[in-house]
Structures are given as structure tokens and as C-alpha cells.
């Protein structure tokens, strides 16, 4: 009889948990699909010297920070990548659930520095990897790329334009397969914008391309991207010239379904603000329901769960300063079409169309929500690609109308509903009136198979096989440990000061002088300020690999993804990791070279 160690027992327990999770997976995915308005966004910026002319005042950083502030108060994850012909700085997707979280991300954006050369494939590829590694299926994924679309490769390197193009296409294919739209923004201040390249990246991934002739347009463009991606609308409130006194701006909250009102104030100089609720009472700008963020290019006021009615914002700016104010609402509302019978249709058949707004899966019937809202049925003939628009009646608790089949074609039907600050679309449905469908020659739907019982005997057999496999693996690991195997190759170590962005020259440390294991702190010459790396250990692995164990408070990233190395992670030839320290604002880059 096999004696099970505590480690083996733990592994078996995890396998049982995995079986339970696999059985429950469809329900879990369905539940996650209802998480409306939350984002997993990676912001990618070209920081090569070629961008200096296009962005003299570093407005790209201000725009990215504004985007961070505009995301909802909780539930979002944001990553950042800056690149030249290599990744200069990166931050994996991290939760932005508080003003402190957002301040950390904005501080990282402020720390980005320029560098030589450009390889757009490097930035796009890394962004796709970061998003694929950390994307929550409940959130909307997106990538925002700020670049001029041009490549300036280092002629001293072996990198060719063809290699860059191939890497870019591979990254785009991965984005397509995962449903990651890439929104591209091209700065064209110097007339050197490669518009075609950025347009193609956006078109191939179902994103959108935006062009800015001046960097000052970036905050407005990012507002549009944010709104477009979440099917929202940017509402211009006012454009004023400051007179040195408080000037009134009305913020209309149309109904109680508004989750957040994001009010952006663009000005050349800081402004003073006061906010009053519909009942006339002044509201603190530092309360649980109101968040105020400031930067040198903008102020962002976020009102969480605002009550319905007319709010008053008082704005005091520097005399003769131009101030532009706009707003984006975030709604927890979806638009759903009542099911259309699945059958073969004929030319002239009339189909009843109904739709309603939903909130948390429940139909919304409040007339205040539907007030001033219009709905339209969009019909696309899949043969001719012609789109017809038919207005629907607003009943006060939904939308109704009908559609008469025009020809013996297949049609895609969907509904859009919009108001001044709101936009939603239903999922499309297909109505088939083609000749094949009418004659009954279309492929019949496969009858649903009866639900099969869970294959417990197979699962038990798998568990027994897993037990044998695990015991064998543990035996091999024990044998390797007894052999006291030595290391192969060396590591290159760079230490980066996160406050300045400066890096030390690479230090090459040969590993073959160590047996069994070595602590990272030893390789760092036992520097006192880096003492926390004493709990980061390297041991030899199989096939010329090394295993890294992290039992410190440091965070380890590989290709922008956080590694849980508590139980060990394998590093192969040319792998690069980043170790972020906690006690000092420094990071350590380690390259494994065989």
C-alpha cells in the first residue's frame, strides 16, 4: 500500500476541487457575463525619441491618467506598457478599486522616460500577453495604443523589418482570437504619422483609429474611446472663458440608473470647484460618493450613484482661461430583445419585435429611465450587406414594433436604444427566409442530446492514475535532490531605480560555482538595502533550466504576468523576470543565459 505524504494528499485534494469546478464552470461563466461596465485595459505608449516632436508637453501621459480616473470606482484592472525597440517599463493588470490604486497607476505613468528606436510589434505583443494573462472573463477587454505607427529599428541589432511585421501579425491574430479590440491613436503634429499601419491594427481587431493633430486632443479622444467601448456617450456640457469668479454649470442626472457621472474639466490652469446636489445642499468633494482627481491638464469629478435631478457645479478659473467641460455616464443597464421564434420564414412574413432595458438581469419598467429615449431596429441583409433602420415605439416601459420580411434572404436583426447620454445595442439574431430555408432543404438543427450523468468511474480511474503519477514524480524529485545537481549557465542582473527609471549596467553572475541552491541576495553581493531578496532562491532544474522560489514579500513578473513562485517556477534559456522590491522603490531584472 502506498503511503501518501502531506504534499501528495494536498495535490489530490486540489484535483478533487478542480473536478468540482469543471462541473460548475458553465454556470460560473454565465454569472460572470453580467458584470457590466468593468474594464480590463492595457495602455500602450511609444516612448521613443521620435514621439518627442509629436508630444512636446507629454500630454499622452495626462490622457492616460485621465482614462484611469474615468474608469468606474471599483472592478477594473489596468496595465501599462511603454516601449521603444524593447519594453522599457511595464505593469501587469492590477486592480483599480480605490483612489490609492489609481494613484499608484498614475504615478507609474508619470515615471515613464523616452528612449531610442521604435518597434511597434514589441509593444503590441507585450500588451496582448499581459491582457491574455490577467483578463477576467467578466470584464470588457481592451488595448489602447498611442504611437506614430512608424518603426525605427536599431541597425546595430539583428532585428529585421520582416521579423517585426511577423511578430505584429502574430500578436494581432492572438488579439482577434481572444476578442481584444485595439484602439489606436496616432499623433500627427510633425506630419510623419503612419496612418495605414495604425488603421489596420484597429480594423483587424474590431477597434477604432483616431488621429490627433495636436497632443491637446488626446484627453478628448480617450474619453471617446472609453465611452465607445462601453457603449456610452460623451455629453458636452459647456465651453467657457473664465472670468475669475465662480460660474455655474448644470449637470442633469436623467434617472436613478446612473451608476457614475464622470465630469472632466479641461483647462490650462487649475480650477476651483464647488458641487451642489439637487436639493441645494453643498456636497463635499472628498466624500464616499464624490471623488476629485487633479492633473496639470485636467480635473476629473466622479459622482457615484448620483440622485436624479439637476446638480450644480460651480467652476472658478483663471481669468481669460478657456475651460471645456464634458461628462460621461456609466450605466448598469443592458438592452435585451425578446426571443424571436427560430423557424423558416417566407417573404412577407411579419415578425413582432419587442425589447426592454434590464438592470441586474431584471426588466426596467420605470418611465423615468425610458424618457427621451429612442429605439431603432437595424436589419442587415446578409447577402447584399444593405442595412435598414426602422423606428420602434417607446411604450414607457420598453420598445415595440414589427418587421416584414422583404425577400428570400437571411437577415441579421438587432436593436439600438439611445438618448443624449446613453447608447446600447442588443445581441444580433438571424431570421432565415432564404430559398433553402423556405424549401425545407436547410440543414436541420441537431436534436439536443440528453444530459449524461457525470462519469464518476472515469474520474476515479483518473484519480488513481494521478496518484501513481504523483508518487513517481515525487520519487524523481527526491532522487534529483540527493544528487545535489549543479547549475548550468549564468544570469544577467540589472537594478532599476523606479523613481528615476535609471538602470545599472548588466552584472553577469556565473552559476556553475554553486551547488544545490543559491539565494538571490548572494548574487547581489549581500547588499543591505536588497536584503529582502534573501528569501528568493534559485535551484537547478532539469534540461538546463533553473527553478526560482519566492518566499519573500517581493512580486515577481514574467512577460508582464505575476508569477506565483512560492512553490517554484521554471526559468528556461533567455527567460527574463522582473522582481519588484517592497522595502525600497527598486526592481531587479534577471535574465537566464545558458
Amino acid at each position: 500500500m502506498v503511503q501518501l505524504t502531506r504534499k501528495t494528499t494536498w495535490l489530490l485534494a486540489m484535483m478533487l476541487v478542480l473536478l468540482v469546478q469543471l462541473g460548475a464552470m458553465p454556470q460560473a461563466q454565465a454569472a460572470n457575463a453580467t458584470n457590466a461596465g468593468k474594464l480590463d485595459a492595457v495602455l500602450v505608449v511609444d516612448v521613443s525619441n521620435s514621439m518627442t516632436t509629436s508630444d512636446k508637453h507629454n500630454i499622452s501621459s495626462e490622457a492616460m491618467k485621465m482614462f484611469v480616473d474615468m474608469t468606474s470606482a471599483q472592478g477594473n484592472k489596468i496595465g501599462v506598457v511603454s516601449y521603444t525597440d524593447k519594453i522599457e517599463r511595464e505593469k501587469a493588470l492590477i486592480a483599480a478599486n480605490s483612489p490609492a490604486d489609481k494613484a499608484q497607476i498614475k504615478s507609474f505613468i508619470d515615471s515613464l522616460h523616452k528612449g531610442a528606436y521604435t518597434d511597434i510589434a514589441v509593444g503590441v505583443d507585450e500588451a496582448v500577453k499581459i491582457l491574455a494573462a490577467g483578463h477576467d472573463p467578466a470584464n470588457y477587454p481592451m488595448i489602447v495604443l498611442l504611437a506614430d505607427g512608424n518603426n525605427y529599428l536599431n541597425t546595430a541589432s539583428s532585428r529585421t523589418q520582416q521579423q517585426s511585421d511577423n511578430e505584429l501579425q502574430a500578436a494581432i491574430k492572438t488579439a482577434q482570437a481572444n476578442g481584444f479590440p485595439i484602439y489606436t491613436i496616432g499623433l500627427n503634429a510633425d506630419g510623419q504619422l503612419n496612418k495605414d499601419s495604425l488603421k489596420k491594427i484597429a480594423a483587424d481587431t474590431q477597434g477604432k483609429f483616431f488621429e490627433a493633430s495636436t497632443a491637446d486632443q488626446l484627453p478628448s479622444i480617450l474619453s471617446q474611446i472609453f465611452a465607445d467601448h462601453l457603449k456610452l456617450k460623451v455629453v458636452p456640457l459647456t465651453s467657457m472663458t473664465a472670468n475669475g469668479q465662480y460660474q455655474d454649470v448644470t449637470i442633469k442626472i436623467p434617472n436613478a440608473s446612473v451608476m457614475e457621472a464622470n465630469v472632466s474639466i479641461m483647462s490650462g490652469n487649475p480650477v476651483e470647484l464647488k458641487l451642489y446636489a439637487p436639493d441645494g445642499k453643498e456636497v463635499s468633494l472628498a466624500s464616499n460618493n464624490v471623488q476629485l482627481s487633479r492633473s496639470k491638464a485636467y480635473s476629473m469629478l466622479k459622482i457615484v450613484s448620483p440622485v436624479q435631478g439637476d446638480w450644480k457645479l460651480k467652476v472658478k478659473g483663471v481669468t481669460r482661461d478657456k475651460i471645456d467641460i464634458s461628462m460621461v455616464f456609466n450605466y448598469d443597464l443592458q438592452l435585451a430583445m425578446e426571443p424571436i421564434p427560430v423557424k423558416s420564414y417566407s417573404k412577407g412574413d411579419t415578425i413582432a419585435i419587442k425589447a426592454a432595458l434590464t438592470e441586474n438581469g431584471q426588466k426596467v419598467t420605470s418611465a423615468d429611465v425610458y424618457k427621451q429615449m429612442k429605439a431603432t431596429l437595424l436589419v442587415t441583409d446578409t447577402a447584399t450587406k444593405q442595412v435598414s433602420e426602422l423606428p420602434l415605439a417607446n411604450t414607457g416601459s420598453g420598445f415595440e414594433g414589427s418587421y416584414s420580411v422583404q425577400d428570400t434572404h437571411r437577415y441579421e436583426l438587432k436593436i439600438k436604444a439611445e438618448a443624449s447620454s446613453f447608447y446600447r445595442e442588443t445581441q444580433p439574431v438571424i431570421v432565415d427566409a432564404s430559398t433553402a430555408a423556405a424549401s425545407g432543404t436547410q440543414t436541420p438543427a441537431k436534436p439536443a442530446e440528453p444530459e449524461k450523468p457525470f462519469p464518476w468511474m472515469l474520474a476515479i480511474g483518473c484519480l488513481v492514475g494521478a496518484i501513481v503519477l504523483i508518487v513517481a514524480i515525487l520519487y524523481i524529485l527526491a532522487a534529483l535532490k540527493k544528487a545535489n545537481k549543479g547549475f548550468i549557465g549564468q544570469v544577467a542582473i540589472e537594478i532599476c531605480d523606479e523613481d528615476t527609471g535609471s538602470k545599472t549596467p548588466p552584472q553577469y553572475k556565473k552559476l556553475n560555482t554553486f551547488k544545490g541552491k543559491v539565494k538571490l541576495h548572494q548574487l547581489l553581493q549581500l547588499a543591505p538595502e536588497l536584503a529582502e531578496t534573501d528569501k528568493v532562491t534559485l535551484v537547478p532544474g532539469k534540461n538546463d533550466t533553473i527553478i526560482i522560489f519566492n518566499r519573500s514579500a517581493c512580486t515577481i513578473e514574467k512577460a508582464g504576468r505575476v508569477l506565483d513562485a512560492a512553490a517554484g517556477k521554471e526559468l528556461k534559456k533567455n527567460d527574463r523576470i522582473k522582481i519588484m522590491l517592497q522595502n525600497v522603490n527598486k526592481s531587479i531584472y534577471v535574465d537566464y543565459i545558458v
Side-chain angles (χ1 to χ4, degrees):
M1 181 176 178
V2 178
Q3 175 105 14
L4 297 182
T5 66
R6 183 161 65 176
K7 183 174 181 180
T8 308
T9 305
W10 179 85
L11 287 170
L12 289 174
M14 289 300 100
M15 290 177 69
L16 281 170
V17 171
L18 179 60
L19 284 173
V20 173
Q21 289 176 336
L22 287 173
M25 189 173 292
Q27 292 86 343
Q29 289 175 339
N32 287 340
T34 63
N35 190 8
K38 310 302 182 186
L39 293 172
D40 284 345
V42 181
L43 305 175
V44 192
V45 60
D46 177 355
V47 293
S48 66
N49 290 329
S50 67
M51 292 287 284
T52 303
T53 303
S54 299
D55 192 6
K56 291 180 180 179
H57 303 294
N58 203 26
I59 298 299
S60 57
S61 292
E62 297 302 305
M64 289 191 292
K65 290 190 293 183
M66 181 176 170
F67 183 91
V68 172
D69 284 328
M70 194 173 292
T71 58
S72 56
Q74 290 187 332
N76 302 282
K77 290 186 293 182
I78 299 173
V80 182
V81 174
S82 69
Y83 72 93
T84 52
D85 62 336
K86 62 181 182 297
I87 300 302
E88 296 291 339
R89 302 284 305 281
E90 63 182 326
K91 182 176 284 293
L93 286 171
I94 64 170
N97 289 330
S98 68
D101 292 338
K102 292 184 176 182
Q104 179 187 356
I105 298 170
K106 291 186 290 181
S107 176
F108 181 84
I109 291 171
D110 279 333
S111 71
L112 302 180
H113 297 279
K114 294 283 192 292
Y117 309 112
T118 314
D119 190 342
I120 194 170
V122 171
V124 174
D125 181 63
E126 193 67 15
V128 172
K129 287 178 179 176
I130 287 176
L131 193 52
H135 172 47
D136 183 344
N139 290 8
Y140 293 104
M142 67 185 303
I143 294 171
V144 181
L145 171 64
L146 296 95
D148 60 13
N150 295 299
N151 270 7
Y152 299 96
L153 301 181
N154 184 356
T155 55
S157 73
S158 59
R159 177 80 159 182
T160 66
Q161 184 62 50
Q162 187 61 53
Q163 288 173 322
S164 175
D165 291 342
N166 291 344
E167 183 177 347
L168 179 60
Q169 288 309 307
I172 288 174
K173 285 183 179 179
T174 302
Q176 289 172 331
N178 288 280
F180 298 162
I182 302 177
Y183 292 83
T184 59
I185 304 174
L187 288 178
N188 199 24
D190 58 357
Q192 300 300 312
L193 176 66
N194 186 344
K195 189 183 303 184
D196 292 340
S197 173
L198 295 177
K199 275 187 173 181
K200 188 174 188 321
I201 292 172
D204 288 349
T205 59
Q206 305 300 309
K208 284 189 176 181
F209 165 75
F210 295 85
E211 180 180 349
S213 57
T214 65
D216 293 338
Q217 295 173 279
L218 285 177
S220 173
I221 288 174
L222 276 174
S223 295
Q224 293 178 53
I225 290 174
F226 177 85
D228 180 81
H229 192 63
L230 293 179
K231 296 294 185 283
L232 305 170
K233 282 189 174 182
V234 178
V235 183
L237 293 180
T238 187
S239 181
M240 63 174 68
T241 300
N243 58 14
Q245 304 297 320
Y246 279 107
Q247 296 168 269
D248 292 349
V249 179
T250 300
I251 302 172
K252 290 184 176 293
I253 305 299
N255 54 66
S257 292
V258 175
M259 292 174 58
E260 295 174 352
N262 297 285
V263 183
S264 60
I265 302 103
M266 311 298 299
S267 58
N269 293 285
V271 296
E272 297 179 39
L273 303 172
K274 292 183 179 180
L275 181 65
Y276 295 86
D279 60 7
K281 293 181 180 179
E282 185 172 0
V283 179
S284 171
L285 300 183
S287 63
N288 290 334
N289 291 333
V290 179
Q291 299 174 7
L292 176 61
S293 306
R294 295 187 184 274
S295 180
K296 63 183 180 182
Y298 70 89
S299 297
M300 174 66 66
L301 188 66
K302 182 186 292 291
I303 311 173
V304 181
S305 300
V307 298
Q308 181 179 350
D310 289 351
W311 292 62
K312 184 181 292 184
L313 178 65
K314 289 182 173 289
V315 182
K316 181 180 178 181
V318 176
T319 302
R320 292 189 294 277
D321 202 5
K322 183 181 178 182
I323 302 175
D324 292 315
I325 304 176
S326 61
M327 177 171 59
V328 175
F329 288 146
N330 194 355
Y331 284 93
D332 191 15
L333 289 175
Q334 301 301 313
L335 181 64
M337 186 192 312
E338 287 193 10
I340 294 175
V342 179
K343 65 175 188 177
S344 298
Y345 288 89
S346 301
K347 180 179 178 180
D349 284 352
T350 299
I351 304 170
I353 302 295
K354 291 185 178 181
L357 297 168
T358 63
E359 187 171 14
N360 296 322
Q362 301 297 316
K363 182 178 178 180
V364 176
T365 57
S366 170
D368 286 335
V369 176
Y370 291 92
K371 190 176 180 181
Q372 306 299 325
M373 199 171 289
K374 295 188 212 176
T376 306
L377 176 66
L378 305 176
V379 181
T380 302
D381 187 323
T382 61
T384 65
K385 305 304 180 184
Q386 183 176 352
V387 179
S388 303
E389 297 192 10
L390 305 173
L392 299 177
N394 185 335
T395 66
S397 60
F399 308 102
E400 294 184 0
S402 63
Y403 171 66
S404 178
V405 178
Q406 299 297 302
D407 210 332
T408 55
H409 294 172
R410 295 176 82 247
Y411 297 92
E412 179 189 89
L413 276 59
K414 65 180 179 181
I415 298 172
K416 68 175 181 180
E418 55 188 330
S420 60
S421 62
F422 179 83
Y423 183 87
R424 286 290 186 274
E425 287 184 359
T426 64
Q427 292 295 320
V429 297
I430 296 295
V431 168
D432 195 348
S434 62
T435 304
S439 63
T441 59
Q442 73 273 24
T443 304
K446 185 178 179 181
E449 295 183 2
E451 186 175 349
K452 297 179 180 179
F454 188 83
W456 289 108
M457 293 306 296
L458 178 60
I460 293 171
C462 291
L463 285 174
V464 172
I467 292 171
V468 175
L469 178 61
I470 291 169
V471 171
I473 292 172
L474 292 175
Y475 178 83
I476 294 170
L477 290 175
L480 288 173
K481 185 176 181 181
K482 289 180 181 179
N484 197 20
K485 183 180 178 181
F487 289 92
I488 298 293
Q490 60 183 333
V491 292
I493 297 175
E494 300 171 273
I495 301 174
C496 176
D497 188 322
E498 296 292 350
D499 292 326
T500 64
S502 62
K503 289 182 183 178
T504 63
Q507 304 173 40
Y508 294 90
K509 304 289 184 179
K510 292 185 178 181
L511 297 175
N512 56 9
T513 57
F514 298 94
K515 294 289 184 181
K517 68 177 180 179
V518 60
K519 295 179 179 180
L520 181 59
H521 197 210
Q522 293 174 260
L523 301 177
L524 296 170
Q525 300 177 332
L526 303 177
E529 69 168 348
L530 308 177
E532 56 193 298
T533 61
D534 191 63
K535 294 184 179 180
V536 178
T537 307
L538 305 177
V539 302
K542 294 187 295 184
N543 300 323
D544 296 339
T545 64
I546 58 176
I547 310 297
I548 186 167
F549 291 87
N550 180 25
R551 296 185 175 91
S552 71
C554 303
T555 300
I556 299 180
E557 290 184 357
K558 178 182 174 185
R561 301 179 289 278
V562 176
L563 288 183
D564 182 4
K569 285 293 182 182
E570 183 181 71
L571 299 182
K572 299 178 181 178
K573 176 184 176 182
N574 296 329
D575 275 354
R576 179 179 175 88
I577 60 172
K578 177 183 180 182
I579 303 171
M580 291 168 286
L581 306 182
Q582 298 297 309
N583 297 336
V584 292
N585 197 22
K586 293 186 176 182
S587 297
I588 300 169
Y589 291 85
V590 179
D591 291 90
Y592 179 43
I593 306 169
V594 178

